[in-house]
Amino acid sequence: MAYQEVTTTGYGTRVGNSFKAIGSGFLMFVLGTALLWWNEGRAVKTEKMLDEAGNNYVEMENPNKKDASLEGELICGTAMATTEDSLVDTQFGIGAKAISIRRNVEYYQWVEHSQTKREDKLGGKEVTTTTYTYTKEWVSSPIQSSDFHDPAYQNKNSVLATFEDADQWAETVKWGAYTLPESLFHRISSREGIDLAISEDLLKQFDKSTQAAYERAHGMVNTALNKISQAVSQPAQPVQQPASIAIPDSIKALLPDSVRAKLDSIQAVTDSLNKQMASADNKKDLQYVHQASNVLYFGRVPGVPEVGDVRISFEKVVPAKVTVMAVVDGDSFKPYKAKNGKRFQTLVMGKKSGDEIIEGEKEANNMILWALRILGVMIVIGGLKGIFGLLETILKVVPFIANIFGWGVGIVCTVIGIVWSLIVIALAWLFYRPVLAICLLAIAGFLIWVFAFKGKDKLKELASKGKNTQTQPAPQTTE
């Protein structure tokens, strides 16, 4: 069930906050303008650097043999990236000969979500209603449920174990007869799961500590009831042996005789099933710790997670065919430095030609250009709304009038923000591509003309029509 909090902000407080928003609005306006200017220069410099690199690179025909004539040249070649380094995750005793191994940890937790609704009241007050809902999700780190707003969900989160994400990389990665620098081989993405080979002693230690954490979180009685439920509903689960019901006598003594009799009966059934499954392959699958492929699971039943469960996946980066585009530097590589100072080197998966790499980099540069343009325009518009928001807040005494005025302010700020952004972009491009800059300035000028003059004429036309309607005599009726 959703939990709601309602707060009321007075008119004076709202006006005071609007004064503060003017300063942050100016700051946003300046930052958005600076972002637009910087982004245009960055995009042009990057494109010129890519054009220069595309004209200067040479194909490395055989990376498996060093070629002294290529020293200092920007090359493009394809070969296998390999390593002889053995990496080990010492905490779990898992290792592999790989370019990298990674441990990824997830926790099953209650997650708080909020949705806010604001309503203006006559007199200038604002009523804010925040609705909080809660869902169980896999997340990357434990969540402090003590901070939840709904008391019913506070302190409901727990974890059965706590581990950190971890990454290890090989020290030496070969690419044919050359050695890849760290900045390049970290781009290799040929990830595969690592088959787990965790010692049985370590698994038993994990199982014991996890059981203790489970009982602290859920209580002894709930632990016993969970075991009963799983033994009855999943007696033939192939991945996990039926849970053995070990309920302390002190708890049994608190239960009615009929319940104790049922417990004894279920115990007999589970003992029989455990004997039948004693020869199964999952010999290391314990009550609270389970292995499946490259995943180590801490919890009662992996298919039915409970709050506090933890799952850890292990991956490795294996040798793979990659294409490198960089400057030969002895038996390794370094970035290409263009005339404008921009640097460039890359590694892509599979076999690619130099032209394909350059084209892909240009597409990525163009995507970044437009993404930052849109972001910059939004920041500029948001800054303008912050600057002029005070006018709307003052009129909040009568919400209907304030909403109409706010709608108009929003339109004006949007138009001004777009026009200003086009001007900034055009001025930035004047240093690089004057023709395109002139076109952008022409578009901005047209928008100003439409908004300032055509809009004014339209208002006069509407006013004239309204005046004619008022002065026109009413039609006479005859009886």
Side-chain angles (χ1 to χ4, degrees):
M1 184 175 180
Y3 176 80
Q4 289 186 336
E5 285 186 348
V6 180
T7 58
T8 302
T9 305
Y11 178 70
T13 303
R14 298 182 70 185
V15 173
N17 292 337
S18 295
F19 272 111
K20 296 177 183 178
I22 293 176
S24 59
F26 272 114
L27 181 61
M28 288 180 62
F29 181 80
V30 172
L31 289 177
T33 301
L35 175 61
L36 289 170
W37 181 276
W38 171 83
N39 181 45
E40 299 305 319
R42 179 208 60 81
V44 173
K45 289 180 180 178
T46 301
E47 185 173 353
K48 288 186 174 182
M49 176 269 293
L50 291 173
D51 287 337
E52 183 179 324
N55 292 328
N56 292 334
Y57 81 91
V58 295
E59 293 285 351
M60 179 178 278
E61 299 295 339
N62 185 15
N64 295 313
K65 183 179 180 181
K66 291 183 181 179
D67 187 347
S69 65
L70 295 177
E71 179 68 24
E73 294 285 348
L74 174 64
I75 61 90
C76 178
T78 303
M80 287 291 295
T82 61
T83 186
E84 295 298 322
D85 291 358
S86 294
L87 306 176
V88 178
D89 187 325
T90 55
Q91 189 168 7
F92 293 90
I94 296 172
K97 182 184 289 187
I99 296 171
S100 173
I101 61 173
R102 175 174 175 77
R103 180 208 307 167
N104 184 53
V105 186
E106 295 176 286
Y107 303 86
Y108 198 64
Q109 300 277 272
W110 282 106
V111 180
E112 181 179 70
H113 304 275
S114 63
Q115 186 174 10
T116 301
K117 179 181 178 182
R118 292 181 172 84
E119 184 179 2
D120 295 320
K121 297 294 185 181
L122 193 64
K125 292 183 178 180
E126 180 185 58
V127 177
T128 303
T129 302
T130 305
T131 303
Y132 297 96
T133 56
Y134 299 85
T135 58
K136 298 176 184 178
E137 301 174 18
W138 287 104
V139 294
S140 59
S141 60
I143 296 176
Q144 294 295 329
S145 56
S146 58
D147 297 331
F148 286 171
H149 290 78
D150 189 346
Y153 286 89
Q154 289 178 358
N155 301 313
K156 290 191 71 173
N157 276 341
S158 61
V159 292
L160 299 183
T162 303
F163 300 98
E164 299 289 337
D165 289 346
D167 253 335
Q168 292 188 45
W169 290 87
E171 292 185 2
T172 303
V173 177
K174 303 295 289 185
W175 184 77
Y178 297 85
T179 301
L180 291 178
E182 185 176 305
S183 57
L184 285 180
F185 68 70
H186 276 204
R187 294 172 174 261
I188 301 175
S189 58
S190 52
R191 293 190 177 273
E192 294 181 359
I194 301 176
D195 292 332
L196 304 185
I198 304 174
S199 70
E200 192 166 352
D201 289 341
L202 183 58
L203 286 175
K204 288 180 178 179
Q205 291 179 18
F206 285 147
D207 188 72
K208 184 177 180 180
S209 61
T210 305
Q211 179 179 3
Y214 187 93
E215 291 173 351
R216 286 195 302 270
H218 299 279
M220 291 291 293
V221 174
N222 285 340
T223 303
L225 293 177
N226 278 338
K227 293 178 179 179
I228 295 170
S229 174
Q230 291 163 13
V232 172
S233 62
Q234 300 180 4
Q237 187 178 353
V239 178
Q240 178 184 357
Q241 289 188 359
S244 174
I245 306 174
I247 303 176
D249 293 336
S250 59
I251 294 179
K252 282 187 177 182
L254 301 176
L255 301 175
D257 293 340
S258 58
V259 175
R260 288 202 300 270
K262 289 181 179 179
L263 289 176
D264 292 337
S265 175
I266 293 172
Q267 179 69 64
V269 172
T270 54
D271 288 343
S272 175
L273 289 170
N274 281 330
K275 290 179 181 180
Q276 295 176 16
M277 299 179 65
S279 60
D281 293 334
N282 296 314
K283 292 181 180 179
K284 294 183 180 180
D285 199 31
L286 306 177
Q287 287 187 1
Y288 292 89
V289 178
H290 315 273
Q291 295 183 86
S293 184
N294 68 318
V295 177
L296 184 64
Y297 192 95
F298 294 78
R300 288 293 302 160
V301 184
V304 187
E306 299 177 79
V307 172
D309 286 6
V310 181
R311 66 184 182 190
I312 308 175
S313 58
F314 298 87
E315 294 179 318
K316 60 183 177 181
V317 174
V318 298
K321 180 180 289 186
V322 299
T323 300
V324 171
M325 197 168 190
V327 174
V328 177
D329 183 25
D331 63 350
S332 188
F333 300 95
K334 65 181 181 181
Y336 173 78
K337 185 175 181 180
K339 293 178 181 178
N340 61 12
K342 295 285 287 185
R343 296 176 180 272
F344 170 69
Q345 65 174 356
T346 190
L347 179 149
V348 297
M349 302 301 298
K351 182 177 177 59
K352 298 283 185 180
S353 68
D355 291 344
E356 288 175 325
I357 292 177
I358 294 297
E359 186 62 29
E361 292 291 330
K362 286 184 176 181
E363 291 177 1
N365 181 49
N366 195 49
M367 290 178 62
I368 296 173
L369 169 66
W370 280 102
L372 293 180
R373 276 177 177 171
I374 294 172
L375 177 61
V377 172
M378 292 176 63
I379 293 176
V380 167
I381 293 173
L384 289 172
K385 289 182 178 180
I387 294 171
F388 296 104
L390 174 63
L391 301 177
E392 180 184 356
T393 303
I394 292 175
L395 296 176
K396 288 292 184 180
V397 177
V398 183
F400 175 72
I401 296 177
N403 290 337
I404 295 176
F405 183 80
W407 179 78
V409 169
I411 292 178
V412 172
C413 289
T414 300
V415 173
I416 293 176
I418 293 174
V419 170
W420 175 259
S421 299
L422 289 174
I423 292 173
V424 171
I425 292 172
L427 291 175
W429 278 72
L430 276 174
F431 294 97
Y432 308 101
R433 295 181 181 176
V435 175
L436 181 58
I438 292 172
C439 292
L440 290 174
L441 287 172
I443 294 173
F446 176 74
L447 289 175
I448 294 173
W449 176 73
V450 169
F451 182 71
F453 296 100
K454 284 295 184 180
K456 184 177 180 181
D457 293 342
K458 187 66 175 179
L459 289 175
K460 288 182 178 180
E461 181 181 345
L462 291 174
S464 177
K465 287 183 178 180
K467 186 176 181 180
N468 292 337
T469 303
Q470 292 177 1
T471 56
Q472 184 176 359
Q476 298 181 355
T477 58
T478 58
E479 296 183 359

